[in-house]
Amino acid sequence: MFSSLKSFSSNINSNYSVSQTLTSTAGPWKIYDAKKKSTGKTYSVFVFERKSLETHGGSLGRSGASAFKRSIDEVVERLKKEASSLARLRHPSILELVEPVEDTRGGLQFVTEAVTTSLASLLQEKDDQERAGGVGGRSSRYVTEDPDGTRRRRELEIDELEIQKGLLQISKALEFLHENAGLVHANLTPDAVLINSKSDWKVSGLAFCSPPDNSTKPTSVQPISLSEVLNLDPRLPRYVQINLDYTSPDFILDSNLTTSADMFSLGLLCIALYNSPHRSPIESSGSISAYKRLFASSSTVPSSGNDFLSKRPLPRDLSAHVLPRLVTRRPAQRMTAREFQESEYFDNILVSTIRFLDDFPAKTPNEKAQFMRGLNKVLPSFPKSVMEKKVLPALLEELKDRDLLHLILLCVFKIVELLPSSKRAFSEKIRPSLKEIFVTNAKQTQEKDPARDAGLVVVFENLGQIAENSSGKEFKDDVLPIILSAIESPTHTIIDGALRSLPAFLPVLDFSTIKNELFPVIATVFSKTNSLAIKVRGCRAFVILCGGTNESSSADDGLDGLGPAKKKATSSSALDKYTMQEKIIPLVKAIKTKEPAVMMAALDVLRVVGNNADADFVAMDILPILWSMSLGPLLDLKQFQLFMELIKSLSRRVEDEQMKKLQELSVINGGRAATPSDDFIGFGGVAGTTFDSTNGATEDDFERLVKGKASAGSSDPMDAGWDAAPAAASRVASPPIKSPQFSWSTPSPTSVAIAPAPGQFGATKAQPSFRTVTPDLAQFGALTPSSTQYSQPLQPAITGSTNNNTSAKPQISATAGWTTPAATTSNPWASNISNPISPPASSFGNMSSGMSNLNLGQTRPSMNQSSSFSLPPPPPSGSSTPGFSLPPPPGGARRLNSTSSSFGQPSTGFGGMSHQSTGSMNNMNNSSIGGMNRGVNSMSSMMGGGMNTMAMTPSQAAVPPTQPPPQQQQQQQQQQQQQGQRSGLDKYESLL
């Protein structure tokens, strides 16, 4: 069938892509869908094949064959006349010709506007469906192809309104032919009526059209001969000859060619539309004689008495008022085409709406506006097919009228809501029109257009329908540009409407489009706008983009009874965490206004971002912003409480996550976790000062190391002198220490009293955790004199012995921090400690004994600085300069190691007098003032000693001395010999 069409070499085949699937038939014509290659628009190609006629005359003789060939030529000429008549007749109800007829070797073809079917094919399919068991019994045998290439079976519907609308359009075409063109159709049948994609009925089949008899109107159409037309040739198919079943008796019985004959045919067509099967009540089987016999009897002629021979009831208005004036024997009694349009059959609101819509361009602006306002209420009464194929296309054509734009769009979206197959209609018709109006045309004007803005508001109110009927790519390409241009609009109402509609279309867009195309535009408008309303709406938009809801949480009082179901956020966030933290938060932070509405909207943004952001970001960035906003001067109590609730909630989250992190780290590292009792202010709490007793290390070793002294108990032979002998025995074990600390450290509040070791003070009493520099003199009791073996006056000594004494290595006192370290020049009046081992942790605050326990036979404390009562220091060792000094007391060498320091350890003189035994404090006092009595226990004796007594540290107020063990004495003597050979500088150099 289509192979012959392919063989055609014509302009139509080269410029159009013709489908291979048959769409419909109309008499001798086969209809195919086609697309113009240059524009892509859809059209219909009508094809007539010669071989469909030649097959009927194959058995004829020579003479018969030549006569048959002449008949075929007549048929071809008649069909050419049909196409050429379409070219000359231009009317909305007459089929529009696009490409003129082409005569090729295979046959004829021409191009018209896109049609879906002919009325004859539609009625035939309805008959097939009814015979197969109802409307759903059998699907259409015709397949149509969508513009995107999708093929589907044609949906055919015919209802009361569809019939009324079609008949009205046919009558308008007849009116045009009769009154304007001066022609008679002469063959008005279902095959002559075509239905286009808009569901409009178009008149075609003008092969037998002719001017009426006695016509005076000029026309280029050649008149027909009724005798030739009615001489039917049985050798030819019936569809190329006149159809007697729809022919008026004026032609056959009266041989009169008048315009009223078309009205008789129109009446028969009306009956066929309601009949079952859908056929004419006159069935002549193509025989003139049979036709005459039917009209010979009144019972076989359609009339009101026999219900016009219809097997189904006809509409009352049609049967009572219209058909009696159409299907009548006398032409003068028939109504004209104009009278038919004004009949009561079309007197209903739906038909009137269709008629008004057809005449819409000729109406005034006020009438158009009133019609559009009322159409929105009438639309639910229309059949779905009429709305989709007739009303919707008509409305879209009127979108070019800017004043009616918003009213038309309201009706358009109402139709989309009512249509069951709205996605196809929206994709094919509505969305391209929206893009053209709001994107293409808007770029050309670039001016503020109130009518266009009103239309945009309608679009934003129906973005949910647009998103439902569009795919992601379609929405991004056609609808998203509309939204972006609206957000950048100078009209605040348009911006608000666009931002308000975010929840409706965000699910359609992908992440990349939202982040890279939509969010930057919203952020720019938010940062530049001076409108508080747009600021608030922008914050709402940020909440939606971050996965929140479009409702402000500040307005929720929790009394609606809906519970958590209402507060459920959207399924997922449209933006990632990075964009929230690095893009949105800086925008919120930059808000300068303190208006409560903006602050509360920003609170919602910070809430949803805070729930998604990292804990450290919440602590460092979000919480400071919240605190700053919460102190706004315009906030009321409830608003401030909402801020505080969020601050507390986020703070608890930060605290919980940080504690969890630290706990995990402590478990992984296996270290000792910090306790509240650790003193990180005192030096004793610093990491690294707690010594491990398991490996023999003590705080004394560290002190000797930093001061350049050799360890007394060191087992390393490198630390001893060249003539040092191995230690005879291990040193005396020190008492157990719970938390060793330096002497200048603050003790731990939880430290307990340590049992005194021999030669030490009594047990120290737990004291409050504080430190002081100045000793509390109120704690010192009265000095009690005692008689000791050192109570004799000091004897002068020769200078040489002083020089020998000063050759001993100077030592550093392990006293409190306010004593003077070992100086380069020794003081002969100060005592020297021979054992520099630091005592256990002690401070000024934990002394249990006062000055009342001070024994006058104890070692004199060192001086912090030279007082007015002290003598200048002697010259360095080896100097020949004579200096004043006192001789050691009797038995000084013998008592070298017999005296104890304030910590119960053997001590030597501070000023380098390593071989001179110090006298009692009373002897020192007596010698400094020139011979005072040693038994005096008055304050004058204390003052007579100058500030030396005040310079004594509390830790040096000692108990009566005890003799150290012999092993300890021998070890101390060895240490002193080693120290006499190695100076402090040598030790420091060896350390370096």
Side-chain angles (χ1 to χ4, degrees):
M1 182 185 299
F2 186 68
S3 59
S4 61
L5 180 61
K6 271 190 168 181
S7 65
F8 294 164
S9 58
S10 64
N11 183 44
I12 295 176
N13 292 335
S14 59
N15 294 332
Y16 292 85
S17 299
V18 184
S19 173
Q20 298 182 6
T21 305
L22 180 67
T23 301
S24 183
T25 59
W29 301 99
K30 296 179 179 179
I31 306 173
Y32 297 91
D33 290 335
K35 287 184 181 180
K36 193 170 185 178
K37 296 179 180 179
S38 58
T39 62
K41 291 185 177 180
T42 58
Y43 298 94
S44 293
V45 176
F46 285 68
V47 178
F48 168 72
E49 298 177 349
R50 287 179 180 269
K51 64 180 182 180
S52 63
L53 300 178
E54 295 174 353
T55 55
H56 291 78
S59 60
L60 298 177
R62 183 181 299 270
S63 60
S66 61
F68 181 71
K69 187 175 185 305
R70 286 193 301 269
S71 299
I72 292 179
D73 293 339
E74 292 176 0
V75 170
V76 172
E77 289 300 323
R78 204 159 42 234
L79 295 177
K80 286 182 179 181
K81 177 186 175 183
E82 177 179 351
S84 61
S85 299
L86 292 175
R88 288 190 293 266
L89 300 174
R90 295 289 181 176
H91 188 267
S93 296
I94 295 178
L95 185 64
E96 179 184 357
L97 184 72
V98 178
E99 296 287 348
V101 64
E102 294 181 356
D103 189 359
T104 62
R105 185 181 59 183
L108 302 176
Q109 61 178 355
F110 61 92
V111 181
T112 67
E113 62 177 305
V115 297
T116 57
T117 185
S118 65
L119 182 59
S121 299
L122 177 61
L123 297 177
Q124 181 63 40
E125 291 193 25
K126 289 299 179 182
D127 293 338
D128 295 341
Q129 290 179 354
E130 293 173 0
R131 284 195 298 267
V135 177
R138 178 179 176 181
S139 60
S140 174
R141 62 189 179 95
Y142 293 109
V143 178
T144 59
E145 185 173 349
D146 293 340
D148 57 356
T150 304
R151 297 175 60 188
R152 67 176 187 273
R153 293 196 177 274
R154 184 176 61 233
E155 298 176 1
L156 301 173
E157 294 183 14
I158 183 169
D159 50 25
E160 181 67 22
L161 181 61
E162 192 82 33
I163 294 173
Q164 290 178 338
K165 178 183 68 66
L167 292 175
L168 187 64
Q169 292 171 336
I170 292 175
S171 65
K172 290 181 178 180
L174 293 177
E175 180 186 2
F176 171 75
L177 288 175
H178 297 165
E179 298 182 6
N180 298 98
L183 298 175
V184 178
H185 190 282
N187 193 30
L188 185 61
T189 66
D191 282 320
V193 178
L194 297 170
I195 303 174
N196 67 1
S197 57
K198 297 180 182 180
S199 189
D200 292 332
W201 290 16
K202 302 279 185 162
V203 174
S204 180
L206 299 174
F208 297 95
C209 71
S210 172
D213 296 339
N214 304 322
S215 176
T216 59
K217 292 184 178 180
T219 179
S220 59
V221 178
Q222 296 296 326
I224 62 172
S225 173
L226 284 178
S227 59
E228 295 179 0
V229 170
L230 296 177
N231 185 15
L232 302 180
D233 191 345
R235 298 171 299 178
L236 294 176
R238 291 179 59 181
Y239 53 76
V240 297
Q241 304 182 66
I242 194 170
N243 190 345
L244 298 180
D245 293 347
Y246 291 92
T247 302
S248 170
D250 302 346
F251 291 175
I252 300 173
L253 302 180
D254 302 335
S255 299
N256 188 10
L257 187 60
T258 62
T259 55
S260 60
D262 289 338
M263 301 310 295
F264 188 91
S265 301
L266 179 61
L268 296 177
L269 181 62
C270 292
I271 299 173
L273 290 173
Y274 292 98
N275 197 7
S276 178
H278 300 283
R279 296 175 184 174
S280 171
I282 299 175
E283 297 182 6
S284 62
S285 301
S287 172
I288 298 294
S289 59
Y291 184 92
K292 292 179 179 180
R293 284 195 301 269
L294 292 176
F295 275 88
S297 173
S298 61
S299 61
T300 56
V301 176
S303 64
S304 57
N306 55 16
D307 292 333
F308 299 97
L309 301 178
S310 176
K311 297 181 180 179
R312 284 185 177 178
L314 298 173
R316 186 180 60 84
D317 292 335
L318 181 64
S319 61
H321 303 94
V322 177
L323 290 180
R325 295 187 59 190
L326 289 178
V327 185
T328 177
R329 177 70 179 83
R330 296 180 181 182
Q333 296 178 349
R334 300 170 190 157
M335 62 174 57
T336 63
R338 183 184 296 273
E339 292 173 344
F340 177 76
Q341 300 171 31
E342 296 173 356
S343 64
E344 296 181 6
Y345 175 62
F346 301 107
D347 188 13
N348 63 73
I349 185 65
L350 299 183
V351 177
S352 299
T353 301
I354 297 296
R355 297 177 66 176
F356 190 98
L357 202 57
D358 290 336
D359 300 334
F360 196 79
K363 304 297 182 179
T364 63
N366 189 26
E367 291 175 339
K368 292 179 180 179
Q370 292 180 357
F371 172 78
M372 287 300 171
R373 292 187 180 95
L375 178 62
N376 203 14
K377 302 177 181 179
V378 178
L379 282 174
S381 302
F382 276 94
K384 303 299 185 293
S385 60
V386 176
M387 279 195 301
E388 179 179 358
K389 298 178 181 180
K390 176 60 181 178
V391 180
L392 181 60
L395 294 177
L396 294 178
E397 288 180 358
E398 298 300 326
L399 285 176
K400 58 182 179 290
D401 190 346
R402 292 301 185 90
D403 296 334
L404 300 175
L405 182 60
H406 68 289
L407 295 175
I408 295 175
L409 287 177
L410 286 173
C411 297
V412 168
F413 286 110
K414 184 68 174 180
I415 293 175
V416 173
E417 179 183 353
L418 296 173
L419 288 180
S421 58
S422 58
K423 189 169 186 178
R424 184 180 72 248
F426 185 86
S427 176
E428 296 176 356
K429 303 173 183 177
I430 301 176
R431 191 176 63 248
S433 300
L434 294 178
K435 182 179 180 181
E436 181 181 0
I437 295 171
F438 295 110
V439 179
T440 306
N441 297 341
K443 291 181 179 178
Q444 297 174 357
T445 58
Q446 294 293 335
E447 297 178 358
K448 191 172 183 180
D449 189 351
R452 174 178 170 272
D453 293 343
L456 279 174
V457 173
V458 178
V459 172
F460 295 145
E461 291 175 352
N462 295 274
L463 269 179
Q465 291 185 5
I466 297 176
E468 292 177 359
N469 294 283
S470 302
S471 64
K473 185 178 185 304
E474 293 171 345
F475 193 95
K476 178 181 178 182
D477 295 340
D478 297 339
V479 184
L480 184 60
I482 301 176
I483 299 173
L484 297 180
S485 63
I487 296 176
E488 296 174 339
S489 170
T491 306
H492 292 165
T493 306
I494 301 303
I495 302 175
D496 182 79
L499 296 180
R500 190 188 299 270
S501 61
L502 279 178
F505 65 86
L506 277 184
V508 185
L509 300 177
D510 56 0
F511 169 76
S512 177
T513 302
I514 296 174
K515 180 178 180 181
N516 300 325
E517 298 184 26
L518 179 62
F519 172 73
V521 177
I522 298 177
T524 302
V525 173
F526 178 83
S527 61
K528 292 183 179 180
T529 184
N530 295 324
S531 171
L532 295 180
I534 301 304
K535 284 285 186 184
V536 174
R537 185 57 57 190
C539 290
R540 295 279 182 272
F542 290 152
V543 172
I544 298 299
L545 292 174
C546 295
T549 60
N550 202 19
E551 298 297 331
S552 174
S553 60
S554 60
D556 183 14
D557 54 6
L559 301 178
D560 51 9
L562 297 180
K566 176 185 175 184
K567 297 182 173 65
K568 184 178 70 172
T570 54
S571 57
S572 62
S573 172
L575 294 177
D576 58 330
K577 185 191 300 183
Y578 172 81
T579 306
M580 295 183 197
Q581 297 181 174
E582 303 299 331
K583 304 293 183 181
I584 293 182
I585 293 301
L587 292 174
V588 176
K589 187 177 181 181
I591 296 177
K592 297 180 180 179
T593 179
K594 299 298 181 182
E595 286 293 327
V598 180
M599 294 293 98
M600 300 312 296
L603 175 66
D604 294 332
V605 179
L606 295 174
R607 175 180 288 106
V608 67
V609 176
N611 294 333
N612 295 287
D614 299 327
D616 55 348
F617 184 85
V618 172
M620 302 300 295
D621 293 85
I622 297 181
L623 286 176
I625 300 176
L626 284 171
W627 276 112
S628 175
M629 290 184 175
S630 66
L631 301 179
L634 303 179
L635 297 180
D636 57 17
L637 176 60
K638 182 179 180 180
Q639 293 168 341
F640 176 76
Q641 290 174 345
L642 291 174
F643 269 97
M644 294 309 301
E645 289 177 3
L646 181 58
I647 291 174
K648 294 177 182 178
S649 174
L650 295 180
S651 299
R652 284 194 299 269
R653 179 194 163 198
V654 173
E655 178 184 0
D656 295 341
E657 293 191 13
Q658 187 67 13
M659 290 183 64
K660 181 179 179 181
K661 184 189 301 182
L662 293 177
Q663 290 174 356
E664 293 175 353
L665 289 176
S666 64
V667 172
I668 295 175
N669 297 333
R672 182 179 67 89
T675 60
S677 63
D678 288 343
D679 187 4
F680 292 100
I681 299 179
F683 293 102
V686 180
T689 61
T690 302
F691 296 94
D692 188 4
S693 61
T694 59
N695 57 5
T698 64
E699 58 187 32
D700 300 316
D701 296 333
F702 175 77
E703 186 175 353
R704 289 183 176 278
L705 178 63
V706 297
K707 292 182 178 181
K709 299 179 181 180
S711 177
S714 175
S715 60
D716 189 354
M718 298 302 294
D719 294 336
W722 293 102
D723 55 351
S730 61
R731 57 178 296 179
V732 179
S734 61
I737 299 174
K738 183 175 182 61
S739 178
Q741 293 177 331
F742 294 117
S743 59
W744 60 80
S745 302
T746 301
S748 174
T750 58
S751 60
V752 297
I754 303 173
Q760 295 180 332
F761 294 129
T764 59
K765 182 170 59 177
Q767 297 293 333
S769 177
F770 66 90
R771 293 180 295 178
T772 181
V773 175
T774 305
D776 190 1
L777 296 180
Q779 298 295 330
F780 291 90
L783 295 177
T784 303
S786 61
S787 179
T788 63
Q789 55 181 337
Y790 300 108
S791 300
Q792 303 299 326
L794 293 177
Q795 300 298 326
I798 60 175
T799 306
S801 63
T802 302
N803 295 337
N804 294 334
N805 292 337
T806 58
S807 63
K809 180 181 177 180
Q811 301 295 326
I812 298 176
S813 173
T815 61
W818 49 282
T819 59
T820 303
T824 55
T825 304
S826 59
N827 187 355
W829 297 99
S831 62
N832 191 15
I833 298 175
S834 61
N835 189 3
I837 299 177
S838 178
S842 62
S843 62
F844 303 131
N846 59 3
M847 295 297 300
S848 61
S849 62
M851 289 298 293
S852 60
N853 295 327
L854 181 65
N855 193 338
L856 295 180
Q858 288 297 327
T859 306
R860 179 177 178 171
S862 61
M863 297 173 57
N864 187 20
Q865 60 183 357
S866 299
S867 67
S868 60
F869 299 98
S870 63
L871 296 177
S877 177
S879 175
S880 60
T881 303
F884 176 77
S885 64
L886 295 178
R894 181 170 48 87
R895 299 294 300 173
L896 177 63
N897 295 325
S898 62
T899 59
S900 294
S901 68
S902 62
F903 296 98
Q905 302 294 338
S907 61
T908 60
F910 275 59
M913 301 170 62
S914 59
H915 299 288
Q916 178 179 349
S917 166
T918 60
S920 66
M921 187 172 291
N922 193 17
N923 293 333
M924 295 287 290
N925 293 336
N926 291 337
S927 63
S928 62
I929 63 176
M932 289 185 66
N933 293 329
R934 61 184 179 181
V936 180
N937 189 18
S938 63
M939 184 61 67
S940 61
S941 65
M942 287 186 63
M943 297 303 297
M947 293 300 296
N948 295 333
T949 304
M950 296 298 296
M952 179 176 54
T953 62
S955 62
Q956 289 175 325
V959 295
T962 58
Q963 294 294 335
Q967 294 179 353
Q968 188 172 358
Q969 294 180 5
Q970 181 180 1
Q971 184 176 2
Q972 293 174 356
Q973 293 176 2
Q974 295 177 356
Q975 293 177 1
Q976 292 173 1
Q977 293 176 2
Q978 296 173 5
Q979 295 170 1
Q981 297 176 1
R982 297 184 62 183
S983 63
L985 182 60
D986 297 336
K987 182 65 175 179
Y988 185 77
E989 292 178 353
S990 63
L991 174 63
L992 296 179

